[in-house]
């Protein structure tokens, strides 16, 4: 298959690329059980971009464990083998790899996009994300305070790896053009939706 004019491997090779990861657990369930969903998204994005390499993909995952489903964009093995860091993909997640998600981010993000599209200025995807993130944490100020306490306790106690935070937002950005001169997060909302 070809993505952005370069030959890439077949999707069935993906599992071996993940073997160097720790097999952590979430709520007593081995992490590999959750890889299926990330694999399905990877395969869907791979297929779409193989057929239409210039298409831009914007994904917002608003569900528990959603941060782990964009790992194919971040892992060095995927970046080297499939070139995922060069894909025109922008993924937002409303929970860390092993966290419970909170609601409301999707609505806040869409409100910000609509505001731009209705002619009230322009903004990049990153600007929309940051604006929505600020409002999200204002709504969930009590959760933000608890998350901060948990992070401080983890540093003091050294209990890293045990996730107790909730609703951590995350974004991962590939490149918007084949030359790699513009990150997806720098792309104007108007240029995508209009």
């Amino acid at each position: 298959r070809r993505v952005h004019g370069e030959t890439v491997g077949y999707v069935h090779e993906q599992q071996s690329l993940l073997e160097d990861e720790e097999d952590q657990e979430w709520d007593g369930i081995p992490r590999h059980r959750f890889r299926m969903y990330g694999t399905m998204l990877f395969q869907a994005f791979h297929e779409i971009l193989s057929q239409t390499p210039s298409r831009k993909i914007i994904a917002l995952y608003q569900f528990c464990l959603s941060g782990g489903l964009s790992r194919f964009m971040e892992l060095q093995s995927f970046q080297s083998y499939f070139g995922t860091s060069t894909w025109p993909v922008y993924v937002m997640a409303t929970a860390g790899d092993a966290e419970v998600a909170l609601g409301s981010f999707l609505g806040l993000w869409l409100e910000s996009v609509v505001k731009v599209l209705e002619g009230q200025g322009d903004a990049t995807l990153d600007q929309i994300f940051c604006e929505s993130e600020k409002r999200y944490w204002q709504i969930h100020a009590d959760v933000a305070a608890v998350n901060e306490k948990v992070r401080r306790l983890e540093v003091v106690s050294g209990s890293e790896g045990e996730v107790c935070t909730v609703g951590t937002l995350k974004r991962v950005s590939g490149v918007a053009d084949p030359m790699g001169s513009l990150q997806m997060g720098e792309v104007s909302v108007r240029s995508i939706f209009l």
Side-chain angles (χ1 to χ4, degrees), residues 25-191:
E25 292 187 355
W26 187 76
D27 203 25
I29 301 169
R31 182 184 188 136
H32 69 268
R33 293 219 148 138
F34 297 101
R35 287 190 186 140
M36 176 181 69
Y37 303 111
T39 300
M40 290 167 58
L41 289 166
F42 167 79
Q43 289 178 324
F45 290 2
H46 185 274
E47 185 67 25
I48 290 166
L49 294 172
S50 293
Q51 294 176 16
T52 55
S54 62
R55 178 174 296 193
K56 292 174 177 56
I57 298 173
I58 301 168
L60 197 159
Y61 307 155
Q62 186 167 289
F63 48 88
C64 298
L65 313 175
S66 58
L69 301 184
S70 60
R71 293 197 40 119
F72 62 87
M73 293 291 294
E74 301 168 299
L75 290 173
Q76 181 61 42
S77 53
F78 279 75
Q79 291 176 355
S80 297
Y81 195 78
F82 295 102
T84 55
S85 62
T86 67
W87 289 6
V89 172
Y90 190 80
V91 178
M92 298 164 280
T94 62
D97 293 11
E99 282 185 350
V100 175
L102 300 173
S104 75
F105 187 78
L106 175 61
L108 296 170
W109 190 82
L110 288 173
E111 284 174 16
S112 296
V113 169
V114 167
K115 183 173 137 184
V116 168
L117 297 179
E118 288 179 339
Q120 299 172 15
D122 199 0
T124 65
L125 288 173
D126 276 344
Q127 289 170 329
I128 295 290
F129 180 89
C130 290
E131 176 187 323
S132 303
E133 180 179 37
K134 182 179 177 183
R135 292 171 48 214
Y136 172 86
W137 287 120
Q138 287 170 346
I139 291 168
H140 301 293
D142 53 340
V143 175
V146 170
N147 283 351
E148 184 56 36
K149 285 180 186 176
V150 166
R151 287 186 190 102
R152 274 190 258 127
L153 287 173
E154 286 179 347
V155 170
V156 171
S157 69
S159 62
E160 289 182 45
E162 191 174 314
V163 178
C164 297
T165 54
V166 175
T168 303
L169 299 177
K170 168 183 173 178
R171 69 182 183 270
V172 181
S173 181
V175 296
D177 60 31
M179 302 302 292
S181 61
L182 187 68
Q183 290 290 310
M184 279 293 291
E186 300 168 334
V187 173
S188 158
V189 169
R190 286 185 164 284
S191 70

